[in-house]
């Protein structure tokens, strides 16, 4: 049916609207943006970004990596840092380690409990006389084996499915899943080195919920009920014998095919690190920016594995391709940047005597010489008006990675450019050559040239994706980079665009994590559902794929998604609806994910989920995982926010969602015009309140370019990062180095305390004035908070900035603007939502009131009352 096709156009087109002079004016120096989270593989890495502050003393010592304490928090010890402006004074008292990380913690969404009870309600085919010969292959005592661990690849918004279509398909709440296809699976029995068994009718995979006929080894598909042969694999004398087959025991398994790419699948750390990396560096920088960039680049190459192959290109008005065979001398071949390089010039480059990609162990001295030879921009031309031929430079980088192998591809085992990465270090927009836009928005032909640039950049990104090369663009400084023009390039190649305040430490951390983050290629995800449900929308880093499965499986109704890259911290938001009222007791979802990993092995990852169906609305609401549901709502909402005008409309839509959920699932309060929001969904309203006033939809970030970059990252991010980007996590430092988790309300701003606020792309450390006046205590508290901040963010990509400041400073507004202004609420509401207030004395409460900065905006409770909705009691 036409209305039951998945919404790919909306789900995958998260574009940026063409820029306007108003929307792309220069970012103000005082508005800062920071990167986001990722989990890099084990290996050399930068220290987490140090705290930036000119008001708070901070440790400036250097040392070895931090040892882990017994409680999992690193003891504070110095870390190496980049060459940055002079730091603040050194601590005058010993730094105390942070002890117990948190006293309380929000409930993390749990994986679906995979029950081992009989899974099929349909009777076996009548052609089998011995019905009892059909065995459910998982015995009841295997229940624990069937449950996923605490790192699931699929998080569902509810653990049950409501049978009534009218209520199940309520768009304001919705039902769906967050799927992380590339998230690491535990090693062990889940790794299977043979071809998977697939249903000959629909293409689904055999799994732990299938009925198996022991005598013949035939199995019944849970998606279409078809009976399939197993080529003898599932023939067994007892059902216990089938427990030796991982695909019939675990809900998630990996089928590994090494083929002739690499015999003997042996993961080795060096093989992860040896993918080619080409650095494309902007050489039109002023001296302060260039000094920071040089420091970051020197530290970056020192951290790389000796087997990593690296290339260096710089660009301005021309493209400089550096020859790594010249010992310790920086030597480069020059190409014009005014147009795309000709095939003849690229052929001369590739077949010439120069070496442009070389292992670090053979080229480290010359690479350092190249970075040291970079010179600041000399002419007196504004940053935004300087000629930068970024597009031509990236074309040359692709040609270097491809090399001469393109002409010799027949019979070659390893595909040219497999797993390659281009990292652009940019300080301004692409204003010269292919894919460029004019220096000035007042150019009479600007709209047409921008439209042409958008198409050209997207084409270049697709070409890079065909060559299995990811393009990341790391920008820094206050010069506008024309984000709308760059986004199509990174999106089409499967890369990421990040904005930084400068080329200092946070930039260096992200440079390292960008180069080492795990990424597969040739990704394809197929989603299959029971006949009662269908996929209505997919949001994430991919696009609709057109496969020939219908030629192999005559009734394959799967939704296919081509993944632009396969990375650990990406996720897809999958919206699922029912076709009609459900009559069966169980619903099945299956995700088949095919990709080539870093070791050039072909992986087929199969994840199967089974959900019970219920008639009771109360039972359904009890099964809702409200944090997952809130993140899915946020992603569906933000998909429409292409610009600042759309963001205002989306905030109104969020309000309407709250009212609609209340009217359908809530209750009328007696003798009141207010409706009670359903208590089972108590976390959703506050999370959505953070969404509408935070950096993704609100106005606390000054420039639309920064908001658009954040939204793009959010739409592709994993659950953990997505949740933190919407709803900040507030942790108060207590005596002894412990931390207590508190609601993210301004009532946490207690003058004698230190608070850490983790907002995904930013981590803030706030010191109360009373605590800051005590040098020894404040130094110990700050060190403990810094240690906690580093622990929380050490695996994030992009890495967030970490800022520290004192109460009353101008920077404290960064912190204050992200907290819910609960000080406006009556005392009884304050204590209900922030019970820690009951422990404060009258004097402490007076001090607390005097510390508030009054913003002209409602509190959470006031907002809910304006919607004529009574907020649920906090869980």
């Amino acid at each position: 049916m036409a209305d039951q096709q998945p919404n790919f156009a909306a789900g995958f087109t998260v574009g940026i609207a063409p820029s306007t002079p108003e929307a792309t004016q220069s970012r103000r120096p005082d508005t800062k943006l920071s990167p986001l989270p990722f989990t890099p593989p084990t290996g050399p890495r930068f220290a987490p970004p140090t705290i930036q502050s000119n008001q708070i003393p901070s440790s400036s010592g250097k040392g070895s990596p931090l040892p882990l304490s017994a409680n999992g928090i690193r003891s504070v010890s110095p870390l190496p840092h980049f060459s940055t402006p002079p730091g603040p004074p050194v601590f005058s008292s010993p730094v105390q380690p942070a002890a117990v990380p948190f006293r309380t913690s929000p409930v993390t969404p749990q994986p679906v409990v995979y029950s081992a009870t009989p899974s099929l309600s349909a009777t076996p085919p009548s052609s089998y006389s011995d019905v009892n010969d059909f065995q459910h292959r998982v015995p009841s005592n295997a229940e624990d084996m069937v449950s996923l661990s605490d790192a699931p690849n699929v998080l569902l918004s509810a653990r049950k499915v409501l049978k009534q279509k009218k209520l199940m398909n309520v768009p304001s709440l919705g039902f769906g899943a967050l799927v992380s296809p590339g998230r690491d699976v535990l090693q062990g029995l889940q790794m299977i080195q043979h071809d998977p068994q697939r249903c000959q009718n629909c293409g689904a995979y055999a799994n732990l919920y299938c009925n198996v006929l022991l005598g013949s080894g035939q199995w019944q598909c849970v998606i279409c009920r078809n009976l399939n042969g197993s080529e003898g694999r599932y023939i067994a004398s007892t059902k216990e014998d089938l427990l030796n087959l991982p695909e019939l025991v675990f809900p998630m398994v990996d089928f590994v095919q090494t083929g002739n790419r690499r015999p003997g699948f042996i993961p080795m750390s060096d093989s992860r690190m040896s993918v080619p990396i080409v650095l494309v560096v902007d050489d039109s920088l002023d001296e302060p920016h260039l000094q920071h960039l040089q420091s970051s680049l020197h530290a970056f190459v020192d951290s790389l594995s000796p087997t990593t192959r690296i290339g260096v290109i710089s660009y301005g008005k021309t493209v400089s391709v550096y020859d790594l065979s010249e010992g310790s001398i920086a030597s480069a071949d020059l190409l014009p940047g005014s147009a795309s390089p000709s095939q003849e010039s690229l052929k001369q480059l590739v077949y010439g005597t120069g070496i442009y990609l070389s292992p670090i162990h053979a080229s480290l001295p010359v690479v350092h010489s190249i970075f040291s030879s970079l010179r600041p921009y000399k002419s007196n031309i504004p940053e935004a008006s300087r000629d930068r031929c970024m597009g031509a430079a990236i074309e040359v980088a692709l040609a270097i990675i491809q090399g001469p192998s393109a002409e010799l591809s027949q019979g070659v085992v390893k595909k040219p450019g497999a797993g390659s990465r281009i990292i652009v270090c940019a300080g301004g927009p692409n204003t010269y050559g292919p894919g460029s836009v004019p220096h000035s928005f007042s150019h009479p032909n600007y709209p047409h040239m921008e439209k042409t640039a958008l198409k050209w950049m997207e084409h270049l990104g697709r070409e890079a994706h065909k060559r299995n090369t990811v393009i990341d663009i790391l920008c820094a400084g206050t010069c506008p980079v024309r984000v709308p023009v760059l986004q199509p390039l990174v999106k089409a190649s499967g890369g990421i665009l990040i904005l930084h305040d400068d080329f200092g430490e946070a930039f260096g951390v992200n440079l390292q994590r960008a180069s080492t983050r795990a990424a597969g290629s040739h990704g394809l995800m197929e989603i299959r559902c029971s006949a009662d449900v269908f996929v209505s929308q997919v949001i994430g880093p991919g696009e609709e794929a057109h496969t020939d499965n219908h030629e192999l499986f005559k009734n394959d109704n799967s939704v296919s998604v081509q993944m632009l890259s396969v990375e650990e911290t990406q996720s897809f938001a999958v919206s699922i609806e029912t076709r009609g009222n459900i009559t069966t007791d169980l619903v099945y979802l299956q995700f088949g994910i095919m990709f080539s990993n870093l070791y050039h092995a072909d992986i087929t990852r199969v994840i199967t989920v089974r959900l019970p169906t219920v008639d009771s609305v109360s039972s359904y609401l009890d099964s809702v995982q409200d944090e997952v549901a809130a993140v899915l709502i946020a992603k569906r909402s933000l998909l429409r926010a292409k610009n600042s005008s759309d963001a205002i409309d989306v905030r109104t839509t969020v309000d309407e969602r709250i009212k609609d959920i209340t009217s359908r699932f809530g209750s009328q309060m007696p003798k009141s015009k207010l409706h009670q929001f359903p208590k089972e969904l108590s976390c959703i309203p506050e999370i959505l309140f953070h969404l509408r006033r935070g950096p993704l939809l609100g106005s606390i970030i000054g420039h639309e370019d920064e908001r658009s970059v954040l939204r793009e990252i959010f739409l592709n991010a994993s659950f953990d990062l997505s949740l933190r980007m919407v709803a900040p996590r507030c942790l108060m430092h207590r005596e002894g180095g412990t931390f207590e988790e508190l609601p993210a309300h301004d009532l946490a701003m207690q003058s004698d305390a230190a608070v850490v606020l983790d907002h995904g792309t930013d981590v803030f450390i706030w010191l109360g004035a009373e605590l800051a006046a005590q040098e020894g205590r404040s130094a110990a508290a700050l060190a403990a908070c810094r240690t906690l901040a580093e622990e929380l963010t050490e695996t994030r990509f992009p890495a967030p900035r970490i800022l520290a400041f004192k109460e009353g400073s101008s920077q404290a507004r960064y912190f204050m603007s992200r907290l819910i202004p609960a000080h406006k609420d009556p005392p009884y509401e304050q204590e209900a939502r922030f019970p820690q207030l009951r422990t404060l004395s009258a004097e402490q409460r007076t001090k607390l009131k005097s510390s508030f900065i009054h913003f002209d905006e409602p509190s959470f409770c006031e907002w809910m009352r304006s919607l004529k909705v009574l907020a649920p009691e906090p869980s």
Side-chain angles (χ1 to χ4, degrees):
M1 296 174 61
D3 61 340
Q4 294 179 353
Q5 293 300 314
N7 184 348
F8 286 100
F12 291 119
T13 307
V14 193
I16 306 300
S19 58
T20 62
E22 294 77 19
T24 53
Q25 59 189 352
S26 177
R27 284 185 285 130
R28 296 179 303 171
D30 62 337
T31 56
K32 299 183 179 181
L33 173 70
S34 140
L36 310 172
F38 190 89
T39 306
T42 304
R45 68 174 178 85
F46 286 93
T50 53
I51 298 168
Q52 304 170 14
S53 172
N54 57 4
Q55 298 174 340
I56 299 291
S58 117
S59 175
S60 61
K62 316 290 180 289
S64 58
L66 300 177
L68 283 175
S69 60
N71 53 42
I73 289 292
R74 292 184 189 272
S75 300
V76 175
S77 72
L79 288 166
H81 61 66
F82 297 102
S83 173
T84 53
V90 181
F91 286 125
S92 59
S93 61
V95 175
Q96 300 297 320
V100 180
F102 321 114
R103 231 176 261 166
T104 59
S105 177
V107 178
T108 300
Q110 297 299 312
V112 176
V113 176
Y114 295 91
S115 172
T117 53
S119 59
L120 292 180
S121 58
T123 58
S126 57
S127 57
Y128 289 86
S129 57
D130 186 1
V131 175
N132 292 327
D133 205 17
F134 244 104
Q135 298 292 336
H136 300 289
R137 51 124 225 81
V138 181
S140 58
N141 60 8
E143 179 82 23
D144 292 338
M145 296 178 63
V146 181
S147 296
L148 279 176
S149 65
D150 56 356
N153 287 55
V154 175
L155 287 173
L156 293 158
S157 61
R159 301 186 189 188
K160 297 177 182 178
V161 176
L162 199 57
K163 289 186 176 182
Q164 297 97 310
K165 174 184 177 181
K166 185 176 180 179
L167 290 176
M168 187 64 190
N169 292 350
V170 169
S172 56
L173 180 58
F175 172 76
L178 288 170
V179 185
S180 301
R183 196 165 186 172
D184 276 347
V185 62
L186 297 176
Q187 299 289 329
L189 289 177
Q190 298 95 321
M191 291 291 214
I192 308 169
Q193 294 198 31
H194 67 74
D195 291 332
Q197 296 291 324
R198 302 191 67 172
C199 176
Q200 297 305 305
N201 181 53
C202 72
Y205 297 84
N207 56 81
L208 73 167
Y209 302 118
C210 294
N211 280 335
V212 175
L213 188 64
L214 297 181
S216 64
Q218 292 175 296
W219 58 279
Q220 189 179 24
C221 175
V222 297
I223 301 296
C224 70
R225 309 291 184 181
N226 187 59
L227 195 65
N228 302 276
S230 65
E231 300 176 342
R233 177 169 172 80
Y234 298 156
I235 295 177
S237 56
T238 66
K239 57 187 179 182
E240 284 75 15
D241 293 339
L242 295 176
L243 293 178
N244 295 320
L245 302 173
E247 70 266 34
L248 300 184
V249 176
F250 296 99
M252 180 169 68
V253 293
D254 277 6
F255 295 91
V256 181
Q257 295 293 320
T258 57
N260 65 351
R261 282 184 168 184
R262 181 173 295 186
F265 175 66
I266 304 175
M268 298 177 62
S269 59
D270 275 354
S271 66
R272 257 179 107 110
M273 307 288 289
S274 60
V275 297
I277 298 171
V278 177
L279 294 173
V280 179
V281 181
D282 184 350
D283 65 5
S284 301
L285 302 177
D286 292 330
E287 187 166 0
H289 285 316
L290 180 61
Q291 288 178 351
H292 284 171
L293 176 60
Q294 287 174 318
S295 297
S296 295
L297 292 174
H298 284 304
F300 168 67
V301 294
D302 284 337
S303 72
L304 293 176
S305 163
T307 60
T308 301
R309 290 189 297 150
I310 193 167
V312 181
I313 294 174
S314 66
Y315 67 94
K317 194 167 186 176
T318 60
V319 180
S320 301
V321 189
Y322 287 91
D323 186 352
L324 304 183
S325 65
E326 296 292 334
S328 59
I329 301 174
S331 172
D333 293 326
L334 299 182
L335 294 172
S338 57
S340 295
S342 66
Q343 289 300 315
E344 184 62 28
S345 61
L346 291 178
K347 190 172 182 179
Q348 291 177 1
L349 192 71
V350 170
Y351 286 96
T353 58
I355 297 176
Y356 306 107
L357 270 180
S358 175
I360 279 291
H361 67 79
S363 57
L364 189 59
V366 67
V367 171
H368 280 303
S369 297
I370 291 168
F371 296 153
S372 299
S373 70
L374 297 174
R375 293 292 178 263
Y377 192 80
K378 295 298 184 182
S379 301
N380 189 24
I381 299 176
E383 280 186 302
S385 300
R386 297 170 187 174
D387 290 333
R388 292 181 173 90
C389 58
M390 182 193 297
I394 294 174
E395 286 186 295
V396 174
L398 282 172
I400 289 174
I401 291 173
Q402 189 81 0
S405 59
E407 300 178 12
L408 305 173
S409 58
Q410 292 185 351
V412 174
V413 172
K414 183 178 178 181
K415 295 184 178 181
S420 306
R421 194 175 294 278
I422 294 173
I423 303 177
V424 181
C425 306
N430 181 29
T431 55
Y432 189 69
S436 65
V437 289
H439 302 135
S440 172
F441 290 111
S442 60
H443 190 284
N445 208 22
Y446 188 91
H448 172 73
M449 295 182 69
E450 183 186 55
K451 186 177 180 180
T452 303
L454 289 169
K455 291 181 178 179
W456 191 90
M457 284 294 196
E458 183 178 5
H459 173 77
L460 181 61
R462 292 189 180 280
E463 185 63 28
H465 182 255
K466 289 178 184 177
R467 302 185 190 189
N468 308 315
T469 301
V470 173
I471 300 173
D472 296 324
I473 301 181
L474 277 59
C475 306
T478 57
C479 178
V481 294
R482 314 284 169 88
V483 166
V485 177
L486 300 181
Q487 283 284 21
L489 170 64
V490 295
K491 284 178 61 178
S493 73
I496 191 171
L497 172 64
I498 312 170
L499 303 181
H500 300 85
D501 298 330
D502 53 45
F503 288 100
E505 198 157 348
F507 176 89
V509 173
N510 281 319
L511 192 59
Q512 169 66 18
R513 295 182 185 178
S515 68
T516 58
R517 73 186 192 268
S521 59
H522 306 93
L524 178 70
M525 179 170 64
E526 297 176 347
I527 308 172
R528 293 178 173 84
C529 310
S530 298
D532 298 312
V533 297
F534 68 97
V535 174
S536 59
Q537 185 184 52
V538 180
I539 302 171
E543 58 191 18
E544 183 177 7
H546 301 283
T547 65
D548 56 359
N549 278 352
H550 61 278
E551 298 178 4
L552 301 174
F553 312 106
K554 58 184 178 182
N555 290 313
D556 184 8
N557 295 318
S558 63
V559 172
S560 297
V561 179
Q562 179 184 345
M563 295 181 286
L564 300 176
S565 63
V566 185
E567 300 182 7
E568 293 179 7
T569 59
Q570 291 177 340
S571 74
F572 290 85
V574 181
S575 298
I576 300 171
E577 297 181 22
T578 62
R579 299 182 188 277
N581 292 334
I582 300 176
T583 57
T584 58
D585 295 329
L586 296 166
V587 164
Y588 296 90
L589 308 174
Q590 189 175 80
F591 304 88
I593 302 145
M594 289 147 281
F595 62 96
S596 298
N597 69 3
L598 291 173
Y599 316 113
H600 309 293
D602 291 329
I603 306 294
T604 300
R605 174 167 294 172
V606 180
I607 308 169
T608 309
V609 176
R610 183 180 67 189
L611 296 169
T613 60
V614 294
D615 291 301
S616 167
V617 174
S618 177
S619 177
Y620 168 69
L621 293 179
D622 281 335
S623 77
V624 172
Q625 302 192 80
D626 44 9
E627 288 184 340
V628 178
V631 168
L632 285 168
I633 290 172
K635 294 202 176 201
R636 289 194 293 263
S637 300
L638 276 174
L639 193 61
R640 298 175 45 228
K642 301 293 193 302
N643 51 50
S644 56
S645 176
D646 291 340
I648 296 173
D649 295 337
V650 172
R651 287 201 293 270
T652 303
T653 302
V654 170
D655 297 348
E656 295 303 318
R657 283 184 184 275
I658 293 295
K659 292 193 285 188
D660 189 62
I661 292 173
T662 306
S663 66
R664 293 175 184 269
F665 299 108
S667 57
Q668 173 77 46
M669 297 299 295
K671 301 179 180 179
S672 172
K673 294 182 179 180
L674 298 179
H675 286 74
Q676 174 73 56
F677 193 86
K679 64 181 184 302
E680 298 90 345
L681 312 178
S682 59
C683 289
I684 290 179
E686 191 163 312
I687 293 175
L688 295 185
F689 183 64
H690 277 296
L691 170 68
R692 72 186 305 280
R693 67 186 297 273
L696 294 170
L697 283 179
S699 56
I700 63 176
I701 290 181
H703 195 269
E704 181 58 28
D705 274 5
E706 295 174 310
R707 285 191 287 270
S708 68
V709 168
L710 278 185
R711 290 173 196 142
E712 188 72 20
I713 293 172
F714 173 78
L715 290 170
N716 297 338
S718 65
F719 166 75
D720 295 329
L721 172 57
S722 298
L723 180 61
R724 285 286 74 83
M725 289 181 71
V726 174
R729 188 180 192 184
C730 184
L731 300 156
M732 179 177 285
H733 177 260
R734 297 297 191 186
E735 292 299 329
T738 62
F739 285 87
E740 180 179 5
E741 185 156 357
L742 302 174
H745 296 181
D746 58 5
L747 299 173
M749 298 173 62
Q750 298 172 24
S751 190
D752 62 345
V755 179
V756 176
L757 189 73
D758 179 6
H759 209 171
T761 60
D762 297 277
V763 178
F764 304 109
I765 300 174
W766 179 88
L767 292 186
E770 187 177 316
L771 175 64
Q774 304 175 47
E775 185 177 356
R777 282 188 62 215
S778 64
L782 178 60
C785 291
R786 174 182 173 178
T787 301
L788 177 62
E790 291 172 352
E791 284 294 320
L792 292 173
T793 63
E794 68 176 344
T795 59
R796 288 191 189 171
F797 177 76
R801 64 176 177 176
I802 301 177
L803 297 176
F805 31 74
K806 292 189 294 187
E807 177 184 352
S809 66
S810 60
Q811 283 188 317
R813 288 177 175 267
Y814 284 119
F815 176 78
M816 182 72 176
S817 64
R818 297 169 192 244
L819 297 174
I820 291 177
H823 68 276
K824 295 183 172 185
D825 295 330
Y828 71 90
E829 284 188 344
Q830 291 180 356
E831 291 186 3
R833 312 199 75 79
F834 204 94
Q836 292 79 5
L837 284 178
R838 298 169 188 148
T839 64
L840 300 183
S841 64
E843 182 182 359
Q844 288 174 315
R845 291 198 180 206
T846 302
K847 290 180 180 177
L848 181 61
K849 290 180 181 179
S850 64
S851 67
F852 295 133
I853 302 173
H854 293 279
F855 292 101
D856 186 21
E857 59 176 323
S859 69
F860 169 68
C861 292
E862 288 174 336
W863 172 65
M864 291 290 282
R865 283 194 292 269
S866 72
L867 303 178
K868 294 184 169 48
V869 175
L870 184 62
E873 291 293 325
S875 57

